[in-house]
Amino acid sequence: MLSILGIVLSLLMLMYFAYRGVSVLILAPILALFAVMMSGEVSQLFGVYTQVFMTGLGGYVVKYFPLFLLGAVFGKLMDDSGSAQSIAYSLVRKLGGHRALLAVVITCSILTYGGVSLFVVGFAIFPIAAAIFHAAAIPKRLIPGAIALGSLSFTMTALPGTPAIQNTIPMPFFGTDAFAAPGLGLIGSAVMFAAGYGWLSYRVRKAKHAAEGYGDTYHAPEKPTDDEHRHLPALWKALLPIILVVSCNYLLSKVIPLMDTAYLSEDKYGNTALNSVLGLWAIIGALVLSCVTIIILNWSRWKNLKETMNKGVMGSLLPIFNTASEVGYGAVIASLAAFAVISNYLLSISAGNVLISESIVISMLVGTTGSASGGLSIALSMMGEHFLQMADAAGISPELLHRVAAMASGGLDTLPHNGAVISLLAICGLTHKRSYFDIFMVTVVGSVLGLIVVISLGSLFGSF
């Protein structure tokens, strides 16, 4: 009983102190070892830290570092080349100010589906959103919800082929690729978009009926001058790298299996099966090609390409080590005897349906950690193999497991202590009190609705 209490207290403290801004790099090992001490294994602390925690952390870095690195470099290249701004301004002009809400959501969706991080999207889109929301008399407090709908929901977990880390983490566990269960992913995306956009549209109509207006004192954001705007990349140049990320990812996932990969069975390569690395290889190749394409297409625009690349590289380090530390934490918790009791209880909630069991476990962990990637990594590191065995026994495809896992990671992750939520509100100059409710509705409620639909259809018709 004391060891179970230690795990629960450890998780609660991880959530609380992460919300208070304490680095997870410090929190994860300390709280993992706290749980070990509560279990009565004090003499094993050093061994647990070096052989369990650090092994879990290192294994995650080895597996996913290329994705974090290339994703961060890609986002920085899109930002510094002006490509992100070009897409944003072009879409706003084409959709018009009377469709301000739709313009912001679609712009964020395109950028994040192409691999641009939320932080780049937030900084690039907020000034534009502020201008068109003010012109359309839409409250500023709704801007975070609009950005979150386009950045933190369906493009992150449900759309087939998205290079978001939440969609790539399940691949080596289930031997799938980024396009797993594409039909269900599209349906889930449609449900999430419709629920979120319907809610925000309702909030806009309600605000207009009350004649609320923009609300805050408006300071016109700095816009590109006519000369600067002319020097932004053409829309096709800005969109091409994003198109390449998705299309090349798909093509490589089909072409690589046609190559001679028998050498992977050698000891030198760890006796690896192609299915366990195919999805990672495809996304790595697609991101490399897209980064090279951005550099070539915008060759004359680079003020300091070396600095851009260096900033992208450095920007990848903290996110991956934060997530890897949470994975190390999860490895320690999973090694405790008390965790078997907790996991058996969670699985028993819906023992007859592995999809429901999987979504419950992942939702609990992403909600506790406040991190979609961290919670998903912990859950699959601890129970991924078990989920796969349950699915195999029930005749459920790994592709369906993948899609449900990815979508489950995008529900309760955006509770108030989530780092992306805190950053987004800071970018917009708003508070949880004023804007979090709308973020909750579009990212938590909308995502859970989409997940329920996908689980229901998957249970009835299987993966498609």
Side-chain angles (χ1 to χ4, degrees):
M1 183 63 184
L2 189 61
S3 57
I4 293 177
L5 178 62
I7 292 175
V8 173
L9 287 176
S10 174
L11 286 168
L12 290 175
M13 287 190 288
L14 180 65
M15 179 171 64
Y16 173 77
F17 287 112
Y19 175 70
R20 300 294 297 178
V22 180
S23 172
V24 73
L25 293 175
I26 298 174
L27 281 178
I30 291 176
L31 294 178
L33 296 179
F34 168 80
V36 173
M37 287 190 292
M38 290 285 286
S39 70
E41 301 175 6
V42 178
S43 64
Q44 301 175 22
L45 286 181
F46 286 109
V48 168
Y49 178 69
T50 60
Q51 306 308 119
V52 181
F53 180 87
M54 289 305 301
T55 298
L57 182 153
Y60 186 87
V61 173
V62 168
K63 187 178 293 183
Y64 293 111
F65 180 66
L67 298 184
F68 278 84
L69 173 66
L70 292 170
V73 170
F74 177 81
K76 192 60 181 172
L77 289 171
M78 286 288 291
D79 188 18
D80 285 4
S81 67
S83 297
Q85 293 87 342
S86 176
I87 292 171
Y89 281 106
S90 297
L91 285 178
V92 168
R93 287 201 308 272
K94 292 180 185 300
L95 290 172
H98 61 290
R99 295 190 182 92
L101 178 62
L102 183 62
V104 172
V105 174
I106 289 181
T107 301
C108 293
S109 301
I110 290 174
L111 291 172
T112 51
Y113 186 55
V116 181
S117 73
L118 167 72
F119 303 101
V120 173
V121 171
F123 282 112
I125 299 302
F126 172 67
I128 304 167
I132 61 176
F133 270 45
H134 180 263
I138 298 174
K140 177 186 178 182
R141 60 183 172 81
L142 298 180
I143 293 177
I147 294 177
L149 176 58
S151 304
L152 296 174
S153 60
F154 58 96
T155 56
M156 186 177 80
T157 63
L159 269 183
T162 175
I165 193 66
Q166 292 80 5
N167 190 43
T168 60
I169 287 173
M171 296 190 303
F173 292 99
F174 301 138
T176 51
D177 60 34
F179 294 87
L184 288 171
L186 289 172
I187 292 172
S189 297
V191 172
M192 294 161 73
F193 173 82
Y197 189 73
W199 170 260
L200 290 176
S201 297
Y202 160 74
R203 297 281 277 177
V204 169
R205 291 193 301 271
K206 188 176 180 181
K208 285 184 176 294
H209 181 73
E212 180 179 343
Y214 186 73
D216 284 29
T217 302
Y218 176 69
H219 301 286
E222 185 179 343
K223 299 180 182 178
T225 63
D226 290 340
D227 183 60
E228 289 174 332
H229 203 208
R230 281 194 298 270
H231 284 83
L232 287 176
L235 181 60
W236 72 268
K237 286 186 178 182
L239 286 174
L240 182 58
I242 290 177
I243 295 171
L244 284 176
V245 169
V246 179
S247 59
C248 289
N249 182 9
Y250 178 79
L251 289 174
L252 286 172
S253 69
K254 305 303 177 184
V255 171
I256 291 175
L258 302 177
M259 301 166 59
D260 180 12
T261 57
Y263 64 89
L264 289 174
S265 62
E266 299 175 11
D267 292 340
K268 177 180 178 180
Y269 300 99
N271 296 307
T272 303
L274 177 61
N275 283 344
S276 67
V277 294
L278 176 59
L280 295 173
W281 286 6
I283 290 184
I284 288 171
L287 285 171
V288 169
L289 180 59
S290 298
C291 287
V292 172
T293 301
I294 299 175
I295 292 172
I296 294 174
L297 288 179
N298 299 282
W299 189 256
S300 61
R301 293 186 178 88
W302 301 115
K303 296 178 180 179
N304 190 331
L305 180 58
K306 180 177 71 173
E307 182 179 353
T308 294
M309 296 287 286
N310 286 343
K311 286 183 177 179
V313 170
M314 296 304 295
S316 71
L317 298 181
L318 185 59
I320 190 171
F321 276 99
N322 277 341
T323 306
S325 292
E326 291 177 336
V327 173
Y329 170 86
V332 173
I333 298 299
S335 71
L336 301 177
F339 180 76
V341 178
I342 296 174
S343 60
N344 288 336
Y345 171 74
L346 291 173
L347 291 172
S348 69
I349 295 175
S350 182
N353 191 319
V354 63
L355 301 178
I356 296 178
S357 296
E358 180 186 47
S359 63
I360 288 173
V361 172
I362 292 173
S363 295
M364 181 199 74
L365 286 170
V366 300
T368 301
T369 60
S371 168
S373 58
L376 178 60
S377 297
I378 292 171
L380 295 186
S381 295
M382 294 188 297
M383 306 187 70
E385 185 176 349
H386 183 65
F387 290 143
L388 193 58
Q389 291 173 353
M390 290 177 64
D392 184 59
I396 294 174
S397 74
E399 286 74 19
L400 183 52
L401 272 185
H402 173 131
R403 187 53 54 208
V404 169
M407 292 183 66
S409 75
L412 298 184
D413 68 309
T414 46
L415 292 178
H417 60 292
N418 174 265
V421 169
I422 294 170
S423 297
L424 177 57
L425 291 173
I427 290 170
C428 297
L430 291 162
T431 63
H432 279 77
K433 182 178 180 180
R434 294 191 62 191
S435 295
Y436 177 71
F437 182 59
D438 295 298
I439 296 175
F440 176 87
M441 291 300 294
V442 302
T443 61
V444 177
V445 176
S447 295
V448 170
L449 287 175
L451 178 62
I452 291 172
V453 170
V454 167
I455 290 177
S456 300
L457 291 175
S459 298
L460 290 172
F461 305 109
S463 178
F464 60 89

